[in-house]
Amino acid sequence: MTSEATTAPVIRADGRTADQLRPISITRGWSKQAEGSALIEFGNTRVLCTASLTEGVPRWLKGEGRGWVTAEYAMLPRATNTRSDRESVKGKIGGRTHEISRLIGRSLRSIIDTKALGENTIVLDCDVLQADGGTRTAAITGAYVALAEAIRFARENKIIPASSQPLTDTIAAVSVGIIDGVPMLDLPYVEDVRAETDMNVVVTGSGKFVEVQGTAEGAPFDRDELNALLDLALLGTEQLAAIQRETLAEAP
Amino acid sequence: MTSEATTAPVIRADGRTADQLRPISITRGWSKQAEGSALIEFGNTRVLCTASLTEGVPRWLKGEGRGWVTAEYAMLPRATNTRSDRESVKGKIGGRTHEISRLIGRSLRSIIDTKALGENTIVLDCDVLQADGGTRTAAITGAYVALAEAIRFARENKIIPASSQPLTDTIAAVSVGIIDGVPMLDLPYVEDVRAETDMNVVVTGSGKFVEVQGTAEGAPFDRDELNALLDLALLGTEQLAAIQRETLAEAP
Amino acid sequence: MTSEATTAPVIRADGRTADQLRPISITRGWSKQAEGSALIEFGNTRVLCTASLTEGVPRWLKGEGRGWVTAEYAMLPRATNTRSDRESVKGKIGGRTHEISRLIGRSLRSIIDTKALGENTIVLDCDVLQADGGTRTAAITGAYVALAEAIRFARENKIIPASSQPLTDTIAAVSVGIIDGVPMLDLPYVEDVRAETDMNVVVTGSGKFVEVQGTAEGAPFDRDELNALLDLALLGTEQLAAIQRETLAEAP
Amino acid sequence: MTSEATTAPVIRADGRTADQLRPISITRGWSKQAEGSALIEFGNTRVLCTASLTEGVPRWLKGEGRGWVTAEYAMLPRATNTRSDRESVKGKIGGRTHEISRLIGRSLRSIIDTKALGENTIVLDCDVLQADGGTRTAAITGAYVALAEAIRFARENKIIPASSQPLTDTIAAVSVGIIDGVPMLDLPYVEDVRAETDMNVVVTGSGKFVEVQGTAEGAPFDRDELNALLDLALLGTEQLAAIQRETLAEAP
Amino acid sequence: MTSEATTAPVIRADGRTADQLRPISITRGWSKQAEGSALIEFGNTRVLCTASLTEGVPRWLKGEGRGWVTAEYAMLPRATNTRSDRESVKGKIGGRTHEISRLIGRSLRSIIDTKALGENTIVLDCDVLQADGGTRTAAITGAYVALAEAIRFARENKIIPASSQPLTDTIAAVSVGIIDGVPMLDLPYVEDVRAETDMNVVVTGSGKFVEVQGTAEGAPFDRDELNALLDLALLGTEQLAAIQRETLAEAP
Amino acid sequence: MTSEATTAPVIRADGRTADQLRPISITRGWSKQAEGSALIEFGNTRVLCTASLTEGVPRWLKGEGRGWVTAEYAMLPRATNTRSDRESVKGKIGGRTHEISRLIGRSLRSIIDTKALGENTIVLDCDVLQADGGTRTAAITGAYVALAEAIRFARENKIIPASSQPLTDTIAAVSVGIIDGVPMLDLPYVEDVRAETDMNVVVTGSGKFVEVQGTAEGAPFDRDELNALLDLALLGTEQLAAIQRETLAEAP
């Protein structure tokens, strides 16, 4: 945060200052079946991200010598405080699920050199086991780790050449919002529902924007508020990028 | 645009400068059946917006003395250059359709005082008859006109008191993007597919943001590029707001 | 009508005599994206017909040297006086929609020489923008114009030889019905709901029947009534055929 | 047939003359579970019709003191010569199924006095066990018998007063068509696929039309051909009505 | 039953002793369209089983020189005492239907030598026309007859060599259950709903088990009860196997 | 196992003897949102079971003073070695999923006194996070722990009286199978695919059967083999019951 004066004194329900992330934990390789996986926690939000690598690409991409990365997001029925019906039982996927799946896929593709991936496909499945706000940003941040692991797997198993570098950068995401006029970082559910403005920001390891999705839930927001939120988001994603680096640096 | 030097000299394929809107046309009352309607054109993009007013609200809102506004977006199969399968035939709605319907609904609700609307529901149907880029921003801009007409209808037919003011502001939207490094306003399809960054911005008549949705399609974008795009968007939505006012000022 | 004495004196709510069509308008080329298109109006009924031409045929027809023509009919949710749920949202197509799509497809195929069309497919989309009775007959009549335009396009773009004549005749359709014992031509919604017998008749430019679909909504009908209705239908389709010819004769 | 000279000498593949029905058999009460049932056979076409009577009516009809009659048609997957996929497995009902279900429902409602039925609902299920052309006309003819049985059941079980007469007439249906220029009655599959024109006619016991659905499969048809087909249809339905009367006259 | 003392004195509502089957009837070749068919009756339960033989196998089995046998089970809406909604209308197949289809398929595959069948597929459709308990066991028992007929057809039509023996055994199934503490054979609906334990047993002609599916509907069951039920099941399936043999021995 | 001589010497791929369970782990309260939860592991099989308690019962049970317990089973797309499509994306639930959900629900209901539960509903969600054989038996065993926790919750929060004892017993399940002629306990995936006979057995804490589901995947099985499998299953479920008791005895 640029302006300590404004936000630092606010102490939130969970004891954090306005510009603090929740405790972040990433357990790499949580799933033994997938080529890459990570169980990521942003406080009580817990998302299992797996990366499934298969040779070949969707039909519309065949023969172009490029790979494909896509994502699917879902929530267990009792990830939330009250149980929701399963989308498989309802027979259709809701708009919110679709929207988040597309966001995760776009975000990860933004740091992939599909030529270097060869004609291979990686599907990122992000299943929310427990939800407490920020599930889509945790999913993007965790999916990056699963993706990096799957690419390491591809290299080690000679699916792509050892010299291939399909990852052009790292990627992380965080939510920010304005509550009672104060911009805050990484909102848990209890803050999220009260936010006047809610923004999800996806940022590369080099500090550039991939997605900026700001929504006025209550009152519209002005240019200054937008800037304060972007400052907070950059602060948070920088820390997330550091945690990602550490996690991936550990021996597998 | 802040920086004339950068953008003014660029002449686009359709003869516009970088900071110019396409020809905008709004035909109010195009549909005789709906309580409110508008056929809106942003160049060759043509969207029919109808507002359907019914007494009563969805069950989860009953008894709270508040109204409800929602939206559904769809595209005719041959609105685009090649025909798409109908979503009704496929038996499910795609992620993009869902996402845009939700965006339109949120945008319009941001300028509605639901208390003043009473326990009434307004559904905005935005059907794209011809698509040439910017269909979602045209839909929001046209839906506002249909919504305003429906509220006028409600007042004239004593469904709400003559003194009720459910509209707290006006709302318009425009797309902006960066093409070959140049920020540009109101992208037609041919530009949209080439844009490195693509942003849809929803702005109130009073110049505040309701939605900012920026996506790096190619390279990630930095803070300066983001600012240049927001400047352009505010320029465009200000002009759209003026056209909306004129349209609604005409005798019905 | 055979019997002037019976029907001529009746003046309908909209000022027409029993054997008069509503004002008919056909705007050819209304859509810029499709190979052929027509916005057709039968009074307040307004249907947008587009023809999409693609090379190739469905799998079951491959290699036979013949083309394929099919149609899809749909209604915008607020084409009618009260809003209907979208079939895409409901996840299934209703029986009425299916039935009308099939009727339009069969009608147009009856005047097509599929050999002369070569292995090309034309899909006619008939979307009802405003409904006031007779939407299926307007759709058939308008779809013919879009189809003829698409075939002209195919010839001009050398998709079929310049000498090919895939159209063997013209086709038009009209509704007729018995109201208070009086056979009437081209029923608007207000008459349609009151009709004892309702009949849709599809007729070639040379005056032969392609479809005769008569339904007793109230009392069953006898042979004389059937004959009176067929007379009226032939009268109406002859006039529609003349309007189609004029529309297509105009420079594109 | 009006003109013996034309049609009588033609001997069809199954040995019939042009104006002859196939062997007709109706087994009343074939199903022990339903309030009314009939297994009907038109040659090798075999349809099981059951009538399910329940108290109450659909919501939109409540409180009007009137009953409701509706129908559902379906085909077993191996009713036909090659197996079709089940519509339940495909997850949607095809257009043809929808169309025929609606036709059967309309036909039966045309001879029902819904006031006399009271607020009761009768659903006719017509399941084709074996298909050899004319399944929809056999279904209508058999459904009438099941319906009459269910009404007798309602009377005997005092669900409606003993004096109620919900049936205003009887109803039967037959297919007719033109093959090699010759109008023929009651087409089996092998003739149906060759017919230039195909017509299904639904006729009351008193000889009036309820539905006339004629379709030119090959060449369009003229007024004389239409008249010849209607003559044949009336001949056939008169015989079917006689068989229905006999069936229902037998002790249960 | 091994122990006459326990069960013989019990006389059931339909006059049977505890160890007696209902009257069993199998009409082979009931359907003229299918390569094999049987209408099977266990008392009032009536199931139409057809076998559809097609050359070729599902994609995942291609090129392995083996055939495939699968089954689909369904119930007519009014097979039961009160009408159920059609699964085709609901747009999805219920869990019970799925479960039984899979059971029938597995049971029949257990006595098939897929090598001897060659690359051919047989689909068994088991449609319940009337349901009075034991529909799945009747379906398996009848499907065997249809399957055997289809294999005879394949041999006679030289689809498989005259010397091929794809059937390695026969297969039949029966339900057993404990009612008021007494193990009973072949439960009709009225007994089925009262059973504390309900078991479906699929047994080969040589007396070995293919499926044992026991469920405690009320109180859990012990080892002795399980044994008594298995004894009864073997008694019943032995009789069913004899009836199958007789049916297939008759000249077609 | 009755016959040590037969099975003890066999050492399986994972080092177990034929009558040994895999390492079992139950983490109670793994999910913070649900009224009851357990993460259960049978070797590498890992299932998250949550119990959702809500007041009220389904409509068909209202006013009877009894509660309801039901279950839903699902697998994450990459729980298995190769990724499966999501059932929510396919828009329908597969037969296997349906079948297992029903099995879990029935099993748990068998040890519930629904009167003592009052008009409350408990939904057990069993989501397979990692699959290595025996997922349905792990799900039943874990769901019991989640259910017991939810009932404790209900008692502590006075949703049911402190003296209510809705649980009448405990319940656990295990798979058994015959591999190369040897009956074995608790099969991992690699054994499961090779098993000639596969059986899932659900047993109460008091050693009675609730479900016995044996299937011959290869050769049919005889009475002796069935008995050997049941012996093994009772051995395994007794150990599982002990682990459940320990888990639930720990302070929450």
Side-chain angles (χ1 to χ4, degrees), chain A residues 91-111:
Chain A
K92 53 183 168 182
I93 289 184
R96 181 183 174 278
T97 298
H98 255 141
E99 199 169 311
I100 300 179
S101 294
R102 287 157 54 91
L103 171 65
I104 301 171
R106 277 201 313 272
S107 297
L108 292 168
R109 281 192 295 276
S110 76
I111 50 131

Side-chain angles (χ1 to χ4, degrees), chain B residues 121-179:
Chain B
T121 295
I122 299 177
V123 181
L124 280 312
D125 284 291
C126 301
D127 286 90
V128 180
L129 305 186
Q130 199 165 268
D132 186 24
T135 60
R136 78 188 71 186
T137 53
I140 292 168
T141 308
Y144 168 74
V145 174
L147 175 64
E149 254 207 340
I151 284 169
R152 189 182 293 182
F153 175 95
R155 225 184 267 118
E156 285 170 1
N157 290 274
K158 308 204 188 306
I159 293 163
I160 58 172
S163 61
S164 275
Q165 298 292 351
L167 290 171
T168 61
D169 205 332
T170 72
I171 195 107
V174 79
S175 74
V176 287
I178 300 176
I179 294 155

Side-chain angles (χ1 to χ4, degrees), chain B residues 69-137:
Chain B
V69 170
T70 186
E72 288 186 7
Y73 167 97
M75 236 188 227
L76 294 197
R78 193 55 200 279
T80 43
N81 198 41
T82 48
R83 187 178 184 275
S84 310
D85 288 340
R86 284 176 193 269
E87 294 187 321
S88 58
V89 170
K90 288 191 287 187
K92 53 184 169 183
I93 288 184
R96 182 182 173 278
T97 299
H98 254 141
E99 198 169 311
I100 300 180
S101 294
R102 287 156 55 91
L103 171 66
I104 301 171
R106 277 201 313 273
S107 297
L108 292 168
R109 282 193 293 276
S110 76
I111 50 131
I112 279 283
D113 174 354
T114 55
K115 282 281 179 196
L117 188 56
E119 290 213 350
N120 297 296
T121 295
I122 299 177
V123 181
L124 280 312
D125 284 291
C126 301
D127 286 90
V128 180
L129 305 186
Q130 199 165 268
D132 186 24
T135 60
R136 78 188 71 186
T137 53

Side-chain angles (χ1 to χ4, degrees), chain C:
Chain C
M1 268 307 293
T2 46
S3 166
E4 294 265 310
T6 321
T7 63
V10 176
I11 299 300
R12 305 203 239 173
D14 56 10
R16 284 186 289 151
T17 56
D19 59 357
Q20 240 182 327
L21 291 172
R22 288 179 283 178
I24 307 296
S25 147
I26 306 180
T27 308
R28 190 176 130 205
W30 197 81
S31 162
K32 285 168 187 63
Q33 308 274 30
E35 286 73 35
S37 72
L39 182 74
I40 188 163
E41 294 171 89
F42 277 28
N44 283 329
T45 287
R46 197 185 274 167
V47 185
L48 176 55
C49 306
T50 60
S52 297
L53 170 78
T54 49
E55 301 188 38
V57 286
R59 193 178 326 182
W60 52 268
L61 201 59
K62 264 181 195 151
E64 304 201 15
R66 292 190 289 125
W68 182 240
V69 172
T70 186
E72 288 186 8
Y73 167 98
M75 237 189 226
L76 293 197
R78 192 55 199 278
T80 42
N81 199 39
T82 48
R83 187 178 184 275
S84 310
D85 288 341
R86 283 175 192 270
E87 294 187 322
S88 59
V89 170
K90 287 191 287 187
K92 52 182 168 185
I93 289 184
R96 182 182 174 279
T97 298
H98 255 139
E99 199 169 310
I100 300 178
S101 293
R102 286 157 54 92
L103 170 66
I104 301 171
R106 276 201 314 271
S107 298
L108 292 167
R109 281 193 295 276
S110 75
I111 50 130
I112 280 284
D113 173 354
T114 55
K115 282 281 178 196
L117 188 56
E119 291 213 350
N120 297 296
T121 296
I122 299 178
V123 181
L124 280 311
D125 285 290
C126 301
D127 286 89
V128 180
L129 306 186
Q130 201 164 266
D132 186 25
T135 61
R136 79 188 69 187
T137 53
I140 292 167
T141 309
Y144 169 75
V145 175
L147 175 64
E149 253 206 339
I151 285 169
R152 188 181 294 184
F153 175 95
R155 225 184 268 115
E156 285 170 1
N157 290 273
K158 308 204 187 307
I159 293 162
I160 59 172
S163 61
S164 276
Q165 300 292 351
L167 291 172
T168 60
D169 205 332
T170 72
I171 195 106
V174 79
S175 73
V176 286
I178 300 176
I179 295 157
D180 300 333
V182 183
M184 292 190 180
L185 179 64
D186 186 18
L187 314 184
Y189 181 72
V190 70
E191 289 178 359
D192 190 46
V193 294
R194 289 183 48 223
E196 290 108 52
T197 288
D198 179 19
M199 189 174 291
N200 291 292
V201 187
V202 184
V203 182
T204 61
S206 54
K208 290 198 160 189
F209 298 107
V210 165
E211 292 271 344
V212 173
Q213 297 202 335
T215 298
E217 303 284 356
F221 52 99
D222 63 22
R223 197 73 175 258
D224 288 343
E225 289 170 316
L226 175 56
N227 280 324
L229 290 172
L230 292 171
D231 290 339
L232 268 182
L234 290 170
L235 188 72
T237 50
E238 196 180 331
Q239 293 172 28
L240 291 169
I243 296 170
Q244 289 174 325
R245 273 193 305 273
E246 280 164 43
T247 303
L248 287 162
E250 293 160 12

Side-chain angles (χ1 to χ4, degrees), chain F:
Chain F
M1 264 309 292
T2 47
S3 166
E4 296 263 312
T6 321
T7 62
V10 176
I11 299 301
R12 304 203 239 174
D14 55 12
R16 285 186 288 150
T17 56
D19 58 356
Q20 239 182 327
L21 291 172
R22 288 178 283 179
I24 307 295
S25 146
I26 307 180
T27 308
R28 188 175 131 205
W30 197 81
S31 162
K32 285 169 187 64
Q33 308 274 27
E35 284 74 34
S37 72
L39 182 73
I40 188 163
E41 294 172 88
F42 278 26
N44 283 330
T45 286
R46 197 184 273 168
V47 185
L48 175 55
C49 306
T50 59
S52 297
L53 171 77
T54 49
E55 302 188 37
V57 286
R59 193 180 324 184
W60 51 269
L61 201 59
K62 266 184 191 147
E64 304 201 14
R66 292 191 288 125
W68 181 240
V69 171
T70 186
E72 288 186 8
Y73 167 97
M75 236 189 226
L76 294 197
R78 192 55 200 279
T80 43
N81 199 40
T82 48
R83 186 177 185 274
S84 310
D85 288 340
R86 284 176 193 270
E87 295 187 321
S88 59
V89 169
K90 288 191 286 189
K92 53 182 168 186
I93 288 184
R96 183 184 172 277
T97 298
H98 255 140
E99 200 170 310
I100 299 179
S101 294
R102 286 157 53 91
L103 170 66
I104 301 172
R106 276 201 314 271
S107 297
L108 292 167
R109 282 193 294 276
S110 75
I111 49 130
I112 280 283
D113 173 354
T114 55
K115 282 281 177 196
L117 188 56
E119 290 214 349
N120 298 296
T121 295
I122 298 178
V123 181
L124 279 313
D125 284 291
C126 300
D127 286 90
V128 180
L129 305 186
Q130 202 165 267
D132 186 24
T135 61
R136 78 188 70 186
T137 52
I140 291 168
T141 308
Y144 168 74
V145 174
L147 175 63
E149 255 207 338
I151 284 169
R152 189 181 293 185
F153 176 94
R155 226 184 267 115
E156 285 170 1
N157 290 273
K158 307 202 188 308
I159 293 163
I160 59 172
S163 60
S164 276
Q165 299 290 354
L167 291 171
T168 60
D169 204 332
T170 72
I171 195 108
V174 79
S175 73
V176 286
I178 300 176
I179 295 157
D180 298 335
V182 183
M184 292 191 179
L185 178 64
D186 188 18
L187 314 185
Y189 180 72
V190 71
E191 289 178 0
D192 190 46
V193 293
R194 289 182 49 223
E196 290 108 52
T197 287
D198 179 19
M199 188 174 293
N200 291 293
V201 187
V202 184
V203 181
T204 61
S206 53
K208 291 199 160 188
F209 298 107
V210 164
E211 291 273 343
V212 173
Q213 297 202 335
T215 297
E217 302 284 354
F221 52 99
D222 62 22
R223 198 73 176 257
D224 289 342
E225 289 170 316
L226 175 57
N227 281 323
L229 290 172
L230 292 170
D231 290 339
L232 269 183
L234 289 169
L235 188 74
T237 50
E238 196 180 331
Q239 293 172 29
L240 291 169
I243 296 170
Q244 289 174 326
R245 273 193 305 272
E246 279 164 43
T247 303
L248 286 162
E250 293 161 12

